[in-house]
Amino acid sequence: MEFAGYDINKYSPRQMVVLPLVLLLLAGVLLGYTTLTTGLPITPGIDFAGGTAVTAFTSDSRETIEATFAGYPLLSVGEGLGNGKYIQFGPMDDAQYRSLVALINEQYPDAKIDQIGETFGKTLQGQAFLALIFSFIGMAIVVFVAFRNVVPAGAVVLSAFADITITAGIMQIIGIPLSLGTTAALLMLIGYSVDSDILLTTRLLKRKGKLDEKLSGAFRTGIIMTTTTLAAIAAMWVVATAGQIQIISEIAGVLIIGLFVDMMMTWMLNAGILKAYILREGKK
């Protein structure tokens, strides 16, 4: 694999950390602005904002369905199980909801209608937020216990935080909503990030040998691991997108973005911090 043979040692620690830190700052500003204007760092999907989900068993095309419900807050039309279509609508008042139900019963008598209230959506928001917080805290505790050194452990935690933050910023830019599925994808990214960061940190701090050789070896192993995972997730994204399975497509999309971001955070930010730390300790 050509990329795995790239010479990572030709950059100084300062050159390695500049781009990731700039991207982290920009993502933080974007998410902060979105939080101030909407109350959430990422535009929420139906799970968190509330709305109506309809499963209609029909052969109608997406364009036909969009034309049928043009007067309502239609969010998306995706493929459901069998010959079904999964249609999502945003929040609406009681009169508009009753009108929508009447239209659905007229056009698709066998359709299943599920309504998610705004209050229930806010409850899910809180639970998802707590899941992210506790997962991150648990990861940080394990990392600090494992390395018992503030700088290497802090670099791992910072890289994982940057991975989640920048991925969330890209989600907001390209329009992937925050839902239960994409929240699960962000939780999975914490595990992916820590896995590659611990590989790097263990290779550089626990093994004997020259720094350049250890860093090059860790880079080759880590890149092969990540690209293998990326290939599998990319295949899942292609199948889900072609089949219009929206939730799987969004989960796979978040993971693909996150893994590319993780490569940058691990092999630029974390590697740069560790390289500076080891060189400084060597001088001492």
Side-chain angles (χ1 to χ4, degrees):
M1 185 178 295
E2 178 120 1
F3 190 44
Y6 184 76
D7 184 13
I8 193 174
N9 290 295
K10 65 181 182 180
Y11 299 105
S12 68
R14 182 174 297 180
Q15 290 174 318
M16 295 170 75
V17 303
V18 167
L19 179 59
L21 290 178
V22 170
L23 291 178
L24 176 59
L25 177 62
L26 293 175
V29 171
L30 173 62
L31 296 179
Y33 174 77
T34 307
T35 302
L36 289 176
T37 54
T38 67
L40 281 175
I42 310 174
T43 301
I46 188 174
D47 297 336
F48 296 150
T52 303
V54 178
T55 303
F57 295 93
T58 175
S59 58
D60 288 352
S61 66
R62 174 183 294 190
E63 291 74 17
T64 301
I65 295 174
E66 289 175 348
T68 301
F69 298 108
Y72 299 90
L74 180 64
L75 297 178
S76 64
V77 179
E79 293 290 333
L81 296 176
N83 195 34
K85 295 291 190 301
Y86 188 65
I87 312 167
Q88 293 184 335
F89 299 88
M92 61 190 86
D93 57 36
D94 290 340
Q96 193 175 26
Y97 175 72
R98 288 193 297 269
S99 172
L100 173 65
V101 171
L103 178 59
I104 292 171
N105 290 332
E106 177 185 343
Q107 296 288 330
Y108 310 110
D110 298 329
K112 178 184 177 183
I113 304 173
D114 295 308
Q115 187 176 26
I116 300 176
E118 188 175 352
T119 302
F120 182 65
K122 290 186 180 299
T123 301
L124 289 180
Q125 287 180 28
Q127 292 175 346
F129 181 73
L130 287 176
L132 280 171
I133 293 297
F134 283 122
S135 297
F136 200 85
I137 291 175
M139 175 273 296
I141 291 173
V142 170
V143 168
F144 276 100
V145 170
F147 292 107
R148 298 180 184 180
N149 190 312
V150 174
V151 175
V156 173
V157 173
L158 177 61
S159 296
F161 174 75
D163 193 359
I164 300 300
T165 302
I166 296 173
T167 301
I170 295 174
M171 287 172 58
Q172 178 64 20
I173 291 172
I174 66 178
I176 298 179
L178 184 65
S179 63
L180 291 175
T182 53
T183 300
L186 291 174
L187 288 171
M188 284 187 277
L189 282 179
I190 295 177
Y192 284 123
S193 175
V194 172
D195 184 44
S196 58
D197 288 325
I198 287 180
L199 165 70
L200 169 64
T201 305
T202 302
R203 288 285 185 93
L204 295 190
L205 297 184
K206 304 293 185 180
R207 290 191 176 184
K208 295 182 179 180
K210 295 182 179 180
L211 173 61
D212 289 358
E213 293 175 355
K214 292 189 292 183
L215 183 55
S216 295
F219 179 72
R220 283 193 296 272
T221 303
I223 288 296
I224 292 172
M225 288 171 51
T226 303
T227 50
T228 302
T229 306
L230 266 172
I233 296 175
M236 180 174 70
W237 179 82
V238 169
V239 172
T241 303
Q244 297 182 356
I245 308 174
Q246 183 179 1
I247 184 62
I248 302 299
S249 177
E250 289 177 352
I251 291 173
V254 172
L255 290 176
I256 290 172
I257 294 168
L259 287 174
F260 275 112
V261 173
D262 179 57
M263 284 195 287
M264 181 185 298
M265 296 305 109
T266 299
W267 305 108
M268 294 179 70
L269 180 60
N270 194 8
I273 293 173
L274 288 176
K275 189 173 182 179
Y277 170 74
I278 293 171
L279 291 175
R280 187 186 67 188
E281 291 298 307
K283 289 180 180 178
K284 288 183 180 180

